[in-house]
Amino acid sequence: MNLLGEGIAWIVDPANYAGPQGWIVRMLEQLFYTFGAIAVAAVIAIPLGYLVGHTGRGRDIAVSLSGGFRALPSFGVIILLALGLGIGFKAPLLTFVIIAIPPILAGAYAGFEAVDRKTIDAARAMGMTEWQVMTRVEVPLGLPLLIGGVRSSALQVVATATLAAYVSGGALGVFIFQAFATRDYPQALGASVIVTALALALEGIFALIQKLVVPRGVVAKEPKDVRARAPRPRATTGIPVQEGK
Amino acid sequence: MVRRRLGPAMIEFRSVTKQFPDGTVAVDSFDLVIPPRKTTVLVGSSGCGKTTLLRMINRMIDPTSGSILIDGEDTSGLAPVKLRRRIGYVMQNSGLLPHRKVIDNVATVPILNGVPKKDARARALELLDTVGLDRSLASKYPRQLSGGQQQRVGVARGLAADPNILLMDEPFGAVDPIVRAELQQETIRLQEGLGKTVVFVTHDIDEAFLLGHQVVILQKGGHIAQVGSPAEILANPANDFVASFVGADRGKRVLRIERVDGRDVVVDENGTPTGVLQP
Ligand SMILES: Nc1ncnc2c1ncn2[C@@H]1O[C@H](COP(=O)(O)OP(=O)(O)O)[C@@H](O)[C@H]1O
Ligand SMILES: [Mg+2]
């Protein structure tokens, strides 16, 4: 049997997926890290990003902060935090929060910045309060970019969560670290395949969400204007666009 | 909602100056009385301060000094958000919210004012009639409309809260000439029918003369070159600048009478007949 086949065999073996040590539980731990980190990061990064995006203030700080966070080596941070917080799930979770913040922060403020200034000006001129401009104009129009940020956070964290096992934090990395110690390559491969599948599934789900949150008027196609569609429209089809009275 | 009674909406600029933080003096001690229920057009070339003047009326911009009064009440004492909700504002690019349907765009301000959604939408439909739009467009999104249609929606939205003042900033600048002519006629009809105080900004003197009961010709810094009715300005340009701006010096507005077959025919500077003179 080739290595890939042995990896698949490892995955489908009930001895490997069932029970509290099985990969199903480990996968749920991986997801717990992913969504836990994203939830915490979102609570911190979205209001901050919105504030920066709405006021235009603190943008430089936000940019360099995200840049700095991004440059942090995850592995080093986990070890360092584990020295302070002890082994278990806390240090990895905190690390993943730190990893998840920059893309969400960037998505939040970039989403606001992408809204046409004239639209915002018009909203204000109509008599919207700053809060209403934010909640009724900037948030809905900026949502696709924000979800894009959450999407990249999710992808990074779901892959990086494998490192949690190094400080006894569980998740799918357990199998991989174990496998390398014992040279059990089918297990290493099987667990890697699961991590990859998980990442692909998340990617697919977020891509879908990202599509769904684009406000309708923004994707809505051009008018069903028969004149625009065919040079010689049939006179009986379609309602001509009502231009005059 | 209890609607406070609004006055006839006379607007007064008293020695208004606006200096932007970068030092630009966009408007320099500007004085003007804008009569109620009439159309006043601010006309002048780009950068002369028209938009700044207009936006000081609804406090989108606050003057550096001087005051602006609406029916005798100094606007600096009014809350900007409340003030804006009782003043209609129509801008060049329509400024519609792209993620809201036409009907919801029109209903925005009444809903902000606390009108129940259902009533606001019903009124929005009526307003589409008022501005000459088919009701079938109500459920479209702004992007699905032509430029002219979007401007009409912009006007409907400006009228939605039944304001007594309507500010229009080059609203027809970006639509093609035929649609513009139509929208101009529509604006005249609306103003006459609804009796709003309209303050209209344009750089097009023909548009200014067509729409304005009172025309204010501006020079850089919001300096007034002349104020008057179109007829007064044409009959008596205050100075060379005005004469040149309205085209009186180039013969653009000079018409001649030629006698043809016993009738008086009016011809323009090129000798092209434009009409007949009635005795
Ligand atoms: N926010 C601003 N900051 C600095 N200068 C401005 C600002 N807005 C307008 N100006 C300047 O003020 C002058 C008048 O502008 P504006 O009122 O927009 O003119 P108009 O509408 O007649 O074209 C111009 O010189 C313009 O560059
Ligand atoms: Mg302007």
Side-chain angles (χ1 to χ4, degrees), chain A residues 116 118-130 132 136-138 140-141 215-224 239-245, chain B residues 55 58 60 81 84-85 87 89 91 93 95-101 108-109 111-112 132-134 137 141 143-146 148-149 152 157 179 182 186:
Chain A
D116 191 342
K118 288 175 196 146
T119 304
I120 292 172
D121 184 70
R124 215 168 263 146
M126 273 190 285
M128 286 196 187
T129 61
E130 290 310 300
Q132 287 164 338
R136 299 181 192 199
V137 181
E138 291 173 315
L141 289 175
R216 271 204 59 206
V218 178
V219 275
K221 284 283 167 286
E222 297 308 312
K224 272 200 172 176
I239 303 159
V241 169
Q242 194 76 22
E243 181 60 64
K245 289 174 281 179
Chain B
R55 287 164 74 87
N58 66 353
M60 284 296 284
V81 165
R84 289 171 199 156
R85 286 184 192 176
I87 296 179
Y89 189 69
M91 52 192 81
N93 54 57
L96 298 175
L97 304 178
H99 57 300
R100 292 197 180 174
K101 291 177 180 165
T108 303
V109 184
I111 287 172
L112 290 177
L133 282 173
D134 196 277
L137 295 181
Y141 287 95
R143 276 173 63 121
Q144 298 173 298
L145 307 187
S146 70
Q149 290 170 329
R152 285 174 196 267
R157 182 176 68 180
V179 177
E182 225 173 78
E186 207 83 44

Side-chain angles (χ1 to χ4, degrees), chain A residues 42-99:
Chain A
V43 168
I44 298 166
I46 294 178
L48 213 60
Y50 278 175
L51 200 68
V52 170
H54 180 75
T55 61
R57 279 183 212 153
R59 189 175 185 281
D60 296 341
I61 301 172
V63 170
S64 47
L65 204 76
S66 333
F69 272 23
R70 268 186 234 256
L72 286 177
S74 333
F75 195 63
V77 175
I78 289 190
I79 306 282
L80 207 67
L81 289 176
L83 290 178
L85 297 170
I87 55 169
F89 77 96
K90 284 188 206 149
L93 185 62
L94 191 56
T95 306
F96 304 148
V97 168
I98 293 173
I99 294 174

Side-chain angles (χ1 to χ4, degrees), chain B:
Chain B
M1 184 189 61
V2 185
R3 178 169 276 286
R4 63 179 275 195
R5 279 246 47 88
L6 298 171
M10 179 175 81
I11 305 166
E12 257 178 284
F13 284 83
R14 287 195 187 158
S15 179
V16 171
T17 294
K18 176 63 190 182
Q19 178 169 30
F20 285 106
D22 68 355
T24 312
V25 181
V27 173
D28 185 21
S29 53
F30 182 84
D31 287 287
L32 182 72
V33 175
I34 293 173
R37 303 189 201 285
K38 297 276 179 225
T39 300
T40 293
V41 179
L42 307 177
V43 60
S45 36
S46 181
C48 71
K50 306 180 295 291
T51 297
T52 306
L53 283 168
L54 199 70
R55 287 164 74 87
M56 286 196 286
I57 297 174
N58 66 353
R59 292 199 61 187
M60 284 296 284
I61 297 176
D62 278 326
T64 313
S65 64
S67 48
I68 295 162
L69 287 75
I70 296 178
D71 292 328
E73 192 176 15
D74 192 332
T75 56
S76 65
L78 304 172
V81 165
K82 267 197 178 153
L83 181 70
R84 289 171 199 156
R85 286 184 192 176
R86 51 172 259 225
I87 296 179
Y89 189 69
V90 185
M91 52 192 81
Q92 177 167 356
N93 54 57
S94 85
L96 298 175
L97 304 178
H99 57 300
R100 292 197 180 174
K101 291 177 180 165
V102 163
I103 189 169
D104 295 319
N105 262 287
V106 176
T108 303
V109 184
I111 287 172
L112 290 177
N113 279 334
V115 175
K117 209 165 178 171
K118 200 163 149 265
D119 301 349
R121 286 171 146 230
R123 165 121 179 89
L125 276 181
E126 287 170 21
L127 277 160
L128 291 185
D129 301 339
T130 308
V131 299
L133 282 173
D134 196 277
R135 287 189 176 205
S136 66
L137 295 181
S139 57
K140 301 259 184 213
Y141 287 95
R143 276 173 63 121
Q144 298 173 298
L145 307 187
S146 70
Q149 290 170 329
Q150 288 187 23
Q151 286 311 115
R152 285 174 196 267
V153 177
V155 174
R157 182 176 68 180
L159 293 170
D162 197 19
N164 53 3
I165 298 172
L166 191 60
L167 308 179
M168 305 179 85
D169 193 351
E170 310 210 24
F172 314 137
V175 296
D176 66 70
I178 295 172
V179 177
R180 186 183 314 144
E182 225 173 78
L183 290 169
Q184 286 166 342
Q185 291 306 325
E186 207 83 44
T187 306
I188 293 171
R189 189 177 60 76
L190 281 176
Q191 195 281 327
E192 282 170 356
L194 303 172
K196 309 279 182 206
T197 302
V198 174
V199 188
F200 193 104
V201 161
T202 180
H203 58 260
D204 176 357
I205 187 68
D206 294 322
E207 187 169 59
F209 281 172
L210 177 65
L211 298 178
H213 297 106
Q214 171 174 267
V215 172
V216 183
I217 298 181
L218 295 168
Q219 278 174 286
K220 196 144 188 56
H223 292 292
I224 297 179
Q226 188 166 4
V227 184
S229 69
E232 283 163 1
I233 293 172
L234 269 175
N236 222 339
N239 51 41
D240 291 350
F241 172 80
V242 175
S244 142
F245 194 78
V246 303
D249 63 340
R250 294 189 305 277
K252 180 182 167 201
R253 307 244 173 225
V254 178
L255 303 173
R256 283 195 323 275
I257 298 169
E258 280 181 7
R259 197 129 183 108
V260 179
D261 289 343
R263 289 195 74 178
D264 285 331
V265 177
V266 180
V267 298
D268 66 14
E269 80 260 40
N270 302 316
T272 310
T274 60
V276 291
L277 211 59
Q278 283 205 328

